């Protein structure tokens, strides 16, 4: 599974670029982040990766070859690389969950037995089995997001592009999304997440690209990127709170909130025993 860009520049007008000479390789991490402030070009990049937009120069490469823009080539690409939009209402069209998830498979002419099996697997992966027969109008925003992801997973794509997956979610929905992305990556698929939710990115992604006004400002692992406060400021971003605890107060650099609180509880329990 290899998706990459080579000297990619993209714009909506002939002489005005939104993305500038990007060289990105999404095989460097299991869950890769495209990080930046609003307007940095994240959504434009995703649409270009799917062939919705064509580059002004450079190219998108899938499995080492430049993607084609004919109907047949794009259809084949989008079976292997699926995208879930920020607003799930943009890609949910049927009135019930099962029919919506089955839509793409029926278009491909798959048997009803295969379709039923794939729907069960996709819904199980997003913890949405109970949603199968529900009318879409009764779903919460977070449930719709999970259904939209199931609709992408049902194609058994190798790579999933998630545009602002935490947008509009409450804290419980955000935690569910975090767990969902981990399950998807553990299933062997690669995930690319576009977001400016710094703390979410810190916990779920293992390789990051930071964009600023369409330019690549930095790349690397979480530690390599988030230990650069000046660069993050230039990108209109801030450090995750766990990284700030480390740099400003001298705490260990914890990998997750859970690790931090587990350590804090352990230290508190130890102090309590010593006091007794």
């Amino acid at each position: 599974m290899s998706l990459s860009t080579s000297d990619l520049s993209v714009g909506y007008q002939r002489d005005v670029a939104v993305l500038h000479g990007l060289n990105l390789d999404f095989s460097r991490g299991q869950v890769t982040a495209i990080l930046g402030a609003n307007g940095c070009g994240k959504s434009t990049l995703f649409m270009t990766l799917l062939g919705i937009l064509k580059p002004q120069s450079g190219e998108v490469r899938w499995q080492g070859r430049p993607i084609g823009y004919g109907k047949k080539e794009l259809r084949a690409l989008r079976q292997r690389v699926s995208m879930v939009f920020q607003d799930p209402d943009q890609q949910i069209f049927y009135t019930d969950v099962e029919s919506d998830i089955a839509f793409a498979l029926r278009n491909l002419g798959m048997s009803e037995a295969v379709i039923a099996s794939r729907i069960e697997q996709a819904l199980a992966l997003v913890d949405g089995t109970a949603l199968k027969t529900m009318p879409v109008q009764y779903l919460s925003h977070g449930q719709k997001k999970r259904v939209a992801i199931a609709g992408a997973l049902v194609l058994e794509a190798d790579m999933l592009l998630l545009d602002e997956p935490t947008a509009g979610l409450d804290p419980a929905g955000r935690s569910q999304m975090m767990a969902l992305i981990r399950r998807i990556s553990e299933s062997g698929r690669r995930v690319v997440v576009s977001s400016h939710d710094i703390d979410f990115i810190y916990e779920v992604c293992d390789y990051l690209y930071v964009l600023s006004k369409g330019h690549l400002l930095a790349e690397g692992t979480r530690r390599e990127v988030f230990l650069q406060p000046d660069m993050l400021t230039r990108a209109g971003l801030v450090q995750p709170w766990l990284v700030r605890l480390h740099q400003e107060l001298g705490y260990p650099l914890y990998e997750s909130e859970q690790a931090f609180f587990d350590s804090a509880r352990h230290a508190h329990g130890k102090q309590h025993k010593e006091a007794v």
Side-chain angles (χ1 to χ4, degrees):
M1 294 180 288
S2 174
L3 181 67
S4 62
T5 70
S6 177
D7 295 322
L8 182 73
S9 294
V10 182
Y12 297 101
Q13 300 175 20
R14 181 174 296 178
D15 299 320
V16 181
V18 176
L19 302 176
H20 306 269
L22 298 183
N23 292 292
L24 314 174
D25 182 355
F26 299 105
S27 64
R28 292 183 178 174
Q30 194 65 31
V31 183
T32 301
I34 304 297
L35 190 60
N38 287 335
C40 73
K42 300 187 298 292
S43 295
T44 298
L45 174 61
F46 271 19
M47 289 190 288
T48 307
L49 293 176
L50 282 176
I52 298 170
L53 296 176
K54 288 186 178 181
Q56 290 177 327
S57 61
E59 58 192 19
V60 176
R61 302 177 70 87
W62 171 249
Q63 302 293 55
R65 298 180 179 180
I67 67 172
Y69 292 90
K71 188 175 293 186
K72 183 178 179 181
E73 292 94 336
L74 289 176
R75 184 177 183 181
L77 171 70
R78 292 167 190 170
Q79 288 179 45
R80 304 265 52 90
V81 181
S82 293
M83 179 174 172
V84 178
F85 294 94
Q86 177 176 339
D87 181 0
D89 287 325
Q90 288 184 324
Q91 59 193 114
I92 295 178
F93 302 104
Y94 277 77
T95 57
D96 67 279
V97 169
E98 184 175 15
S99 296
D100 191 82
I101 297 174
F103 172 72
L105 299 182
R106 291 195 172 114
N107 267 359
L108 293 171
M110 294 189 179
S111 71
E112 289 301 315
V114 170
I115 291 172
S117 175
R118 287 204 185 183
I119 289 174
E120 292 291 342
Q121 292 171 13
L123 284 174
L125 195 56
V126 303
D127 195 23
T129 302
L131 306 177
K132 181 179 175 181
T133 60
M134 285 184 65
V136 169
Q137 64 180 340
Y138 294 127
L139 300 181
S140 68
H141 184 74
Q143 289 171 331
K144 286 181 179 179
K145 286 213 172 198
R146 285 155 54 202
V147 168
I149 292 173
L153 292 173
V154 80
L155 292 169
E156 297 187 344
D158 300 309
M159 187 165 291
L160 193 63
L161 311 180
L162 301 179
D163 188 15
E164 298 289 355
T166 60
L169 297 183
D170 59 20
R174 185 175 176 276
S175 296
Q176 281 185 322
M177 185 61 67
M178 193 175 293
L180 169 55
I181 291 175
R182 288 178 177 141
R183 287 199 300 273
I184 294 171
S185 67
E186 288 167 0
S187 75
R189 296 173 175 88
R190 292 191 189 276
V191 182
V192 183
V193 179
S194 162
S195 181
H196 58 270
D197 185 339
I198 294 290
D199 294 313
F200 179 82
I201 290 295
Y202 180 75
E203 292 220 25
V204 302
C205 297
D206 52 11
Y207 200 85
L208 297 88
Y209 291 104
V210 180
L211 300 184
S212 177
K213 298 179 180 179
H215 294 273
L216 180 62
L217 201 57
E219 68 173 281
T221 64
R222 290 181 294 177
R223 287 173 179 261
E224 291 168 339
V225 168
F226 286 131
L227 289 174
Q228 299 183 61
D230 292 341
M231 179 277 295
L232 292 171
T233 298
R234 291 199 305 275
L237 304 170
V238 297
Q239 287 181 308
W241 71 274
L242 289 170
V243 178
R244 291 186 64 194
L245 280 179
H246 168 69
Q247 285 205 312
E248 297 181 18
L249 299 179
Y251 280 75
L253 184 54
Y254 294 101
E255 298 293 323
S256 66
E257 288 187 14
Q258 188 64 50
F260 169 76
F261 286 112
D262 286 346
S263 177
R265 279 191 290 269
H266 176 75
H268 179 76
K270 186 176 179 181
Q271 290 176 350
H272 179 72
K273 287 182 180 179
E274 288 175 352
V276 174

